[in-house]
Amino acid sequence: MDDKYWDEECETMPRGKLEQLQLRRLKKTLINVYENVKFYKEKLDESGVDPYNFKSLDEIEKIPFTTKDDLRVNYPFGLFAKPMNKVIRIHSSSGTTGNPVVDGYTKNDIAVWGSIVARQLYSVGVRESDIIQNSYGYGLFTGGLGLHYGGELLGSTVIPVSGGNTERQLKIMSDYSSTVICCTPSYSLYIAEVGRELGVDFSKLPLKLGVLGAEPWTDEMRREIEERLKIDAVDIYGLSEVMGPGVSLECLYKSGLHIAEDHFLAEIVDPKTGKKLPPGKHGEIVLTSLTKEAMPLLRYRTKDLSALNINTCKCGRTHARMAKPMGRADDMLIIRGVNVFPSQIEEVLMKIKDIEPHYLIVVERKNYLDNIEVWVEVSEDIFSEKMNGLENFESSIEHKLYSAIGIRMNVKLKEPKTIKRSIGKAKRVIDKRKGETL
Amino acid sequence: MPVKQLTVFLENKAGRLAEVARILKKQNINLQGFSTTEARDYGILRMLVSDVEKSRESLREAGFTTHVADVICVKVVDKPGELSNILDTLSAERINIDYVYVIAGTRIVLSVSDIKKAEDILLKNNIQLCN
């Protein structure tokens, strides 16, 4: 067995020492934004935080949050702390709901990002001899290049195949003997589905690991993916606002995602009041950059919901673990006054034997009442010539959803492939109340 | 001997049954008879075809969910009282019928609780089974 750690000293650093490192780096970051970003200078002055006299991590609670709206108002480069001649890369979101969210990177930011991702890939057993099929989209989206630089720095072979063209993905996977696949969990399922149709036997392929992220997914979905592709599947988390993939990654114990705490300061706050919550409590993740140069963010409201665990992991790492994100605060549906997360529905569905891992949630208002439909595809595993077989299947799902979530949903049985497959982030909810259409 | 019935899951929307018929036509498969049953948003199509495996393969390829089950096919003489005789024969032996439908050539397709027993009884009563 080779070394367990990429950087043992850092990965197993006692928390006291880690916090000292965070404080040093936070202070440097505060000075950088105070001197170079008008938006932050004003915010820090207003809240009475003196970057030159910042003494303890607890003081961070005095710093106001940064929100996505702040990023949009300062579009495109208003929050950059470095002049453009020091910025070597720009990434941004698609901007489907307004101005895109932009992030910039210095040469050092790109190097740091690569080293974080390399260290994380190493922690899940990826080595120089591995062949990484990187099926995240390359381009403005951070997924493709983020994993790419990390994999190369580690010394593995990176195949920059990007998303889409699933038959080619399968050919490459088989011909080039890929051992690792990086993509969204929903796309990994689609690859599995097309593979099954083409007669691919995944147990005979060298593929052993999936580094999956960019959308929330449940443990039940993980089991389905692992079973279908015959791999270990780990969750990678990140957001383009603070860097991209690599903010955190699960280790092979799959009991929370280790945050790269030497580069990010993570807090959990109550999404309503903004009050900081102690470890173990569920709330919204708030991230502060500790080493980012081009566009550091202070207390960024990610809207992702999770909880922190600061106990040392079985893998030996001391960096805090965040619970698998159950979704974004934005994803929460309010159905007849009840809060429902799509991930709760997924959890129920994926526990049902023989159900296909593709589903769609359709919400609309009929006669002033919220109505929620859950679309599920009928596979040959559950289909027979008996009508009551289907009716029982339908009503048993409805019953399970009701007992787990507490509201009535109508299950709609659909023909195979009716639900759109995704090569990137899956769209699981159509909310007609917001004008969305099928 | 039981015959193989092909069943297809259909969403309740325009053109789905037509699509199945088109696929069978293209493969030059003869449809001996069929029935449909509908629920709220979907239905199932049960049919006897000249080539079950070929039909199933082409339908699967087109993305349909299919199922093959054993049923009994009985020749019914085209005169008053014949159906009654057949049904009485079965009910006298407490054989339950899940569904029944008529197909070409005055034949009926029966799905029953006990195929073997039903066949024996029908044959014993000189009722003709079709393959």
Side-chain angles (χ1 to χ4, degrees):
Chain A
M1 182 70 192
D2 55 359
D3 285 342
K4 198 170 147 191
Y5 304 104
W6 171 265
D7 179 353
E8 182 165 2
E9 193 196 335
C10 173
E11 291 172 66
T12 62
M13 191 179 278
R15 289 206 65 82
K17 210 174 151 198
L18 184 60
E19 282 167 14
Q20 284 168 22
L21 175 71
Q22 289 184 316
L23 178 61
R24 269 201 314 279
R25 289 180 167 177
L26 175 59
K27 210 172 150 180
K28 204 173 150 194
T29 301
L30 286 175
I31 292 169
N32 180 21
V33 295
Y34 188 79
E35 298 296 342
N36 298 305
V37 185
K38 185 166 162 273
F39 170 82
Y40 277 127
K41 182 173 191 309
E42 287 170 6
K43 280 211 163 192
L44 292 174
D45 281 342
E46 274 167 31
S47 54
V49 176
D50 176 5
Y52 292 97
N53 200 19
F54 195 83
K55 295 230 162 46
S56 139
L57 283 181
D58 297 335
E59 282 181 62
I60 196 162
E61 284 183 73
K62 288 191 206 153
I63 301 173
F65 295 117
T66 306
T67 65
K68 195 173 232 177
D69 282 339
D70 294 328
L71 269 58
R72 290 197 166 125
V73 168
N74 289 283
Y75 174 83
F77 305 142
L79 294 182
F80 281 20
K82 296 287 175 207
M84 289 314 279
N85 61 1
K86 295 289 176 201
V87 174
I88 66 161
R89 173 105 59 86
I90 283 170
H91 280 287
S92 79
S93 71
S94 55
T96 40
T97 53
N99 268 342
V101 168
V102 179
D103 193 2
Y105 305 76
T106 63
K107 199 173 267 183
N108 191 55
D109 289 337
I110 294 294
V112 166
W113 186 10
S115 75
I116 295 173
V117 174
R119 182 173 85 190
Q120 290 176 332
L121 289 172
Y122 195 91
S123 77
V124 285
V126 182
R127 297 292 181 268
E128 286 181 350
S129 54
D130 277 299
I131 298 172
I132 301 173
Q133 180 160 345
N134 189 10
S135 311
Y136 278 117
Y138 278 67
L140 282 174
F141 174 57
T142 49
L145 289 172
L147 264 305
H148 184 99
Y149 276 61
E152 281 193 352
L153 182 66
L154 176 55
S156 308
T157 310
V158 181
I159 310 171
V161 49
S162 198
N165 199 340
T166 309
E167 291 194 15
R168 188 180 65 184
Q169 300 272 359
L170 284 154
K171 185 169 167 53
I172 285 174
M173 189 179 286
S174 150
D175 293 356
Y176 302 175
S177 302
S178 310
T179 55
V180 180
I181 180 140
C182 304
C183 60
T184 57
S186 49
Y187 191 48
S188 76
L189 279 171
Y190 186 50
I191 291 174
E193 182 179 58
V194 175
R196 189 169 53 176
E197 280 164 15
L198 296 174
V200 176
D201 180 355
F202 288 100
S203 67
K204 296 221 165 67
L205 293 185
L207 196 72
K208 61 175 186 190
L209 179 73
V211 178
L212 314 178
E215 64 188 16
W217 49 306
T218 58
D219 278 323
E220 286 70 23
M221 185 65 97
R222 184 208 310 275
R223 275 194 284 281
E224 199 69 41
I225 292 167
E226 291 185 334
E227 171 57 30
R228 286 171 187 237
L229 284 170
K230 312 292 179 204
I231 56 171
D232 271 308
V234 290
D235 192 357
I236 188 167
Y237 172 81
L239 56 171
S240 56
E241 295 94 313
V242 300
M243 184 178 78
V247 171
S248 63
L249 174 72
E250 283 177 316
C251 64
L252 288 170
Y253 287 98
K254 300 170 193 168
S255 57
L257 294 78
H258 287 280
I259 299 167
E261 282 193 288
D262 47 338
H263 299 283
F264 304 98
L265 186 77
E267 304 167 82
I268 297 286
V269 304
D270 182 315
K272 285 206 185 78
T273 64
K275 207 171 144 25
K276 189 167 172 170
L277 298 173
K281 292 274 179 228
H282 276 268
E284 181 179 343
I285 310 167
V286 171
L287 294 170
T288 298
S289 318
L290 296 177
T291 53
K292 193 98 187 311
E293 295 176 341
M295 197 183 104
L297 294 182
L298 303 182
R299 305 195 84 202
Y300 183 65
R301 298 283 298 249
T302 64
K303 297 197 173 174
D304 290 315
L305 301 175
S306 181
L308 290 181
N309 178 355
I310 56 170
N311 300 327
T312 304
C313 180
K314 278 188 215 156
C315 72
R317 290 177 181 81
T318 51
H319 291 210
R321 282 166 286 160
M322 51 182 261
K324 215 167 180 318
M326 63 181 295
R328 316 204 81 174
D330 292 357
D331 295 338
M332 192 179 77
L333 297 165
I334 302 177
I335 309 293
R336 287 168 240 147
V338 179
N339 297 345
V340 181
F341 279 97
S343 58
Q344 290 174 282
I345 295 174
E346 177 180 304
E347 199 180 317
V348 173
L349 294 178
M350 292 306 115
K351 277 184 186 153
I352 299 170
K353 196 176 166 289
D354 292 333
I355 208 164
E356 286 293 303
H358 310 282
Y359 64 92
L360 184 72
I361 297 161
V362 182
V363 186
E364 60 187 321
R365 191 160 284 150
K366 278 183 182 164
N367 303 324
Y368 308 102
L369 210 59
D370 296 321
N371 184 56
I372 180 162
E373 286 179 2
V374 178
W375 290 21
V376 172
E377 291 179 358
V378 172
S379 71
E380 296 201 344
D381 295 327
I382 57 151
F383 182 57
S384 79
E385 94 281 16
K386 302 275 165 62
M387 201 64 178
N388 57 11
L390 287 175
E391 284 166 346
N392 291 344
F393 182 67
E394 205 173 39
S395 57
S396 86
I397 302 173
E398 285 175 351
H399 178 75
K400 282 174 181 153
L401 287 167
Y402 180 68
S403 47
I405 300 166
I407 54 169
R408 300 254 172 231
M409 304 182 199
N410 298 321
V411 168
K412 299 266 169 185
L413 297 182
K414 296 283 168 182
E415 286 173 22
K417 309 276 179 69
T418 310
I419 296 163
K420 200 168 167 263
R421 304 300 192 251
S422 127
I423 60 161
K425 299 187 190 199
K427 177 117 181 100
R428 305 270 193 212
V429 178
I430 303 286
D431 195 340
K432 292 185 177 171
R433 299 173 304 182
K434 294 183 188 161
E436 293 175 345
T437 51
L438 283 165
Chain B
M1 212 182 65
V3 295
K4 300 284 179 201
Q5 166 189 267
L6 181 61
T7 310
V8 186
F9 177 82
L10 294 178
E11 264 177 60
N12 195 358
K13 59 186 184 193
R16 299 314 289 154
L17 182 57
E19 174 73 9
V20 173
R22 202 176 305 121
I23 289 165
L24 298 181
K25 174 183 169 187
K26 212 168 148 195
Q27 297 291 329
N28 200 27
I29 287 162
N30 190 36
L31 192 52
Q32 298 160 10
F34 67 93
S35 85
T36 59
T37 308
E38 89 284 359
R40 210 169 36 180
D41 306 296
Y42 58 85
I44 60 183
L45 166 68
R46 305 178 180 117
M47 53 190 176
L48 291 198
V49 290
S50 55
D51 186 336
V52 175
E53 274 320 304
K54 196 167 149 195
S55 309
R56 187 174 198 187
E57 206 170 295
S58 339
L59 288 167
R60 269 180 173 166
E61 222 160 82
F64 287 98
T65 303
T66 61
H67 179 79
V68 173
D70 285 339
V71 288
I72 302 177
C73 182
V74 178
K75 175 77 188 168
V76 187
V77 181
D78 192 7
K79 66 175 195 199
E82 274 301 304
L83 179 64
S84 176
N85 291 343
I86 294 168
L87 298 181
D88 283 346
T89 309
L90 292 172
S91 65
E93 295 289 332
R94 299 213 154 277
I95 290 171
N96 185 44
I97 298 172
D98 289 325
Y99 55 83
V100 56
Y101 57 96
V102 181
I103 64 170
T106 58
R107 289 174 296 165
I108 59 172
V109 173
L110 294 155
S111 171
V112 294
S113 49
D114 186 337
I115 290 192
K116 185 79 194 66
K117 194 172 163 195
E119 283 181 332
D120 290 347
I121 293 155
L122 291 169
L123 287 171
K124 216 178 281 172
N125 287 275
N126 295 320
I127 293 165
Q128 190 194 337
L129 301 184
C130 317
N131 296 337

